[in-house]
Amino acid sequence: MSLQQLYAWLQATVPQAPQVAGVVPLVVRAVQLYRAGQHEACVAQIQSVLDSINAGHWSAAPVTRPFA
């Protein structure tokens, strides 16, 4: 569910703030971890992405909770 919400946020945000596309590889890594059954690592990766976005590293609107 968290990955789906993050994906939807990226779809809405990237056209308006292209610099946010920099988090896409990080989200892809989260998907890879999920597919590999490494759910705790996936959640940690998602949290890292969210923290980075919400800290303003990508100059976009904060992602609303809850995700993970």
Side-chain angles (χ1 to χ4, degrees):
M1 177 78 121
S2 298
L3 286 170
Q4 291 172 336
Q5 291 174 334
L6 186 53
Y7 176 75
W9 181 85
L10 283 168
Q11 277 191 307
T13 304
V14 169
Q16 297 172 10
Q19 66 275 17
V20 175
V23 302
V24 171
L26 304 174
V27 176
V28 168
R29 179 66 183 140
V31 170
Q32 292 169 337
L33 291 166
Y34 179 82
R35 288 182 176 165
Q38 298 178 21
H39 299 253
E40 289 182 26
C42 173
V43 170
Q45 181 72 9
I46 292 169
Q47 189 61 53
S48 175
V49 170
L50 295 176
D51 290 347
S52 178
I53 292 167
N54 289 330
H57 297 147
W58 303 99
S59 302
V63 180
T64 57
R65 302 276 191 230
F67 267 92

